[in-house]
Amino acid sequence: MSDPRFDLTAGPIGIFDSGYGGLTILDKIRRRLPAYDYVYLGDNARTPYGTRSFELVYEFTLEAVMRLFELGCPLVILACNTASAKALRSIQQSDLPVVAPRRRVLGVIRPTVEAIDGLTVTRHVGLLATPGTVKSQSYDIELGKLCPDVTVSSVACPMWVPLIESREADSPGADYFVAEYTRRLLEADGRIDTIILGCTHYPLLMDKIRRHVPWHIRLLAQGEYVAGSLACYLTRHPEIERCCTRGASCTYLTTESAADFNDSASIFLNTRVEAHSIQL
Ligand code: DGL
């Protein structure tokens, strides 16, 4: 039986990521849908998720979703590809019907794949993502369903999230790993015309990645597509939209030190934030 605490109530839209990466999605969502209230939760204490097992990513993600539900969120966006790949389906199919059948949890992979069909001309795309996302084959599966004529080549980038989370994205060490992973992808398939940055942290390496990828190849950051897809979703689901409060606010929560989060988040968002530290 569902828990009455998690019946559909009015509240902010929840945005979850393992760390700072989801801020790239939050930023685009708030630009597109500025009227709503948001609560961002970064599990910085346990990042990165990309090298963790399926079971752990699912467990951590479910804990975060439940916390966001406790805070009244009628809708939660997993602004993390790894969590979307490894936890979204189980949460939607097994957990939500039991604990909160009227609330919704959405991910970032489907909106990205929906965009691909109209973007690639050669029908050869590349994916740069965490080891967890690549191993899950979620992009291959979703692309196979939506545009089966598209060939996808993937390269896992295990060093990129740790470099970004530790604010080493501008270091020479980061240069080495950006050059190395992009080289592997371009060697895997010379016909790629679109590369999916399949991790919400990666836009923070955009300039560096651009230097190693020929200009005719599009680098696809997910934020705008996720924001557009959310806007459509809210139009199509008035029962959820009605419950999203409109105070244009954003609350920031982190499982690590709030001061550290504030320092880093202000770099990523170009504005000062006041986070609160919580435990999951
Ligand atoms: N931003 C997460 C993603 O999109 C990073 C995962 C991680 O913590 O490794 O996959």
Side-chain angles (χ1 to χ4, degrees):
M1 207 168 76
S2 68
D3 186 328
R5 279 181 309 151
F6 301 127
D7 200 1
L8 195 53
T9 47
I13 297 173
I15 310 277
F16 167 69
D17 182 49
S18 63
Y20 299 114
L23 295 172
T24 64
I25 303 288
L26 173 74
D27 185 45
K28 299 292 185 211
I29 289 179
R30 288 194 78 197
R31 282 170 202 265
R32 178 78 188 247
L33 300 163
Y36 297 107
D37 293 311
Y38 296 91
V39 51
Y40 182 88
L41 170 54
D43 190 7
N44 300 78
R46 301 189 292 196
T47 198
Y49 280 14
T51 42
R52 293 189 187 275
S53 68
F54 179 96
E55 290 75 15
L56 266 187
V57 173
Y58 166 64
E59 187 186 310
F60 291 173
T61 305
L62 183 59
E63 282 174 5
V65 167
M66 293 311 293
R67 173 57 64 91
L68 289 165
F69 282 172
E70 279 166 24
L71 295 169
C73 298
L75 170 67
V76 173
I77 311 294
L78 302 184
C80 174
N81 289 267
T82 311
S84 300
K86 292 186 162 189
L88 179 63
R89 188 166 298 243
S90 302
I91 290 175
Q92 284 176 332
Q93 293 181 355
S94 308
D95 299 298
L96 280 190
V98 179
V99 289
R102 297 173 67 211
R103 299 199 190 196
R104 292 293 173 265
V105 180
L106 304 174
V108 289
I109 294 177
R110 182 80 186 192
T112 310
V113 167
E114 281 171 358
I116 283 293
D117 197 29
L119 295 175
T120 173
V121 175
T122 63
R123 314 306 279 170
H124 286 249
V125 306
L127 172 70
L128 296 168
T130 66
T133 299
V134 170
K135 204 166 160 209
S136 74
Q137 295 193 310
S138 295
Y139 275 94
D140 310 59
I141 294 165
E142 289 298 322
L143 279 164
K145 282 190 228 156
L146 249 75
C147 23
D149 61 323
V150 168
T151 301
V152 58
S153 305
S154 309
V155 168
C157 312
M159 291 305 292
W160 285 5
V161 170
L163 283 164
I164 293 164
E165 287 283 322
S166 53
R167 291 162 67 173
E168 294 288 344
D170 293 326
S171 66
D175 273 332
Y176 170 80
F177 284 108
V178 169
E180 183 57 21
Y181 298 149
T182 50
R183 182 190 60 76
R184 285 184 205 167
L185 184 62
L186 296 173
E187 275 181 16
D189 183 350
R191 296 185 62 200
I192 288 170
D193 69 353
T194 308
I195 295 178
I196 303 167
L197 303 185
C199 169
T200 56
H201 283 68
Y202 296 175
L204 299 163
L205 288 172
M206 182 63 103
D207 292 346
K208 269 194 175 21
I209 299 170
R210 188 73 270 176
R211 268 182 252 139
H212 294 280
V213 172
W215 276 99
H216 71 275
I217 299 180
R218 181 195 300 268
L219 295 175
L220 183 81
Q222 302 172 286
E224 274 165 27
Y225 299 99
V226 174
S229 170
L230 177 59
C232 290
Y233 180 87
L234 292 174
T235 308
R236 283 186 284 111
H237 293 88
E239 74 288 2
I240 299 291
E241 197 281 335
R242 268 196 298 275
C243 293
C244 299
T245 53
R246 290 168 165 258
S249 72
C250 189
T251 302
Y252 295 89
L253 305 174
T254 174
T255 54
E256 248 295 343
S257 135
D260 287 352
F261 186 91
N262 293 344
D263 283 348
S264 294
S266 56
I267 299 170
F268 299 145
L269 286 174
N270 265 327
T271 175
R272 221 44 241 122
V273 310
E274 282 297 333
H276 305 276
S277 186
I278 60 159
Q279 281 191 338
L280 288 177

